[in-house]
Amino acid sequence: FTFGLRHEDYSTYGSKWTNTFFARQSISETNDLFFRYSSNFAPPTALDMFGWSGANPNLSPEESNSYEVGTHLRLNTVHVELVLFQNDFENMIEFYDPDNDWVGEMKNLSHAKTQGVELSGDIPLGTFWQGTFGYTYLETEDDKGQRLARRPRQSLSLGLLFRADNRYVGVELLEVKDRMDSATQRAEDYVVCRLYGMNEFFDGFQINYRFENLLDKDYQEVIGYPALGFGAYGGLKYSF
């Protein structure tokens, strides 16, 4: 197991101790159980207090306690991890716009909660190929019993990776479902795809590339703010 302790001292918010604890126990050759606890302290940012939209200089720091319990399975070459989690917040900092008219303010929620389950894993598919998957189911609740904005209830990711000695290329698919953009306004579901890779032409010289929103999907992570369309990015790296 591991234990960590951290002390922070702020001229505005005083001093605060936070900690983290992690324990893992192997119960068989193929199965590990683990538990994680952490406390967190997050002062409001300058944008929260003095930004252009809904700034509130009277915000209090956000505090939370996080809990995780899970299991890691090794089934021959297949690895699967299942995690149950819960996060309890005090003074969560959120943008409050009850009328959906784009006129609101940052405020502290007296309490809030997020909890759910995560399932992830990787599956070798021959010598050079590997498949990955991840699924999260999330429930959220603010201090009025309503769902928190912009936290999808369901998200699914699928990936396929080809890796050889001096190169790799992968594709990832992300599906996001069942989101609220505010307390009363539902956001659209979307599916987005990306491609990425690396080639090493000779010792020390690499080219990296990625293609975001590969299918040029029109979608909005936040209503009123369209996400970027297809984008291509690349870079060269030389190490010696």
Side-chain angles (χ1 to χ4, degrees), residues 26-190:
S26 178
I27 60 174
S28 71
E29 293 184 356
T30 61
N31 190 2
D32 294 342
L33 298 179
F34 59 88
F35 170 81
R36 179 183 288 108
Y37 164 80
S38 62
S39 61
N40 305 282
F41 181 82
T45 66
L47 188 62
D48 294 332
M49 296 189 293
F50 308 111
W52 64 273
S53 178
N56 181 357
N58 300 312
L59 291 169
S60 299
E62 178 180 291
E63 300 186 53
S64 65
N65 293 300
S66 302
Y67 311 86
E68 291 183 7
V69 60
T71 180
H72 185 96
L73 299 174
R74 298 173 297 278
L75 308 173
N76 293 322
T77 57
V78 176
H79 289 208
V80 178
E81 190 167 278
L82 178 67
V83 181
L84 303 176
F85 63 89
Q86 179 172 311
N87 304 293
D88 298 320
F89 296 87
E90 292 183 4
N91 293 323
M92 173 183 272
I93 300 172
E94 283 282 289
F95 182 72
Y96 183 65
D97 178 19
D99 302 322
N100 300 319
D101 60 359
W102 299 89
V103 179
E105 69 169 345
M106 304 303 295
K107 65 173 291 187
N108 288 112
L109 306 181
S110 61
H111 60 272
K113 177 184 293 187
T114 64
Q115 58 185 357
V117 58
E118 294 179 343
L119 178 66
S120 61
D122 55 80
I123 306 170
L125 303 171
T127 304
F128 301 107
W129 294 89
Q130 182 181 51
T132 62
F133 66 90
Y135 173 77
T136 301
Y137 181 85
L138 177 68
E139 289 287 351
T140 67
E141 184 177 278
D142 66 12
D143 53 3
K144 294 181 175 60
Q146 298 175 326
R147 287 176 61 186
L148 293 168
R150 299 166 190 162
R151 276 82 163 180
R153 179 169 279 159
Q154 297 187 73
S155 55
L156 172 70
S157 64
L158 299 173
L160 184 64
L161 178 67
F162 172 84
R163 185 185 296 273
D165 291 338
N166 60 351
R167 65 192 183 278
Y168 65 80
V169 59
V171 62
E172 292 180 347
L173 188 74
L174 173 66
E175 181 180 18
V176 173
K177 300 180 63 176
D178 196 357
R179 298 177 300 144
M180 302 298 294
D181 195 69
S182 66
T184 59
Q185 189 174 23
R186 183 174 293 275
E188 65 177 359
D189 302 337
Y190 64 85

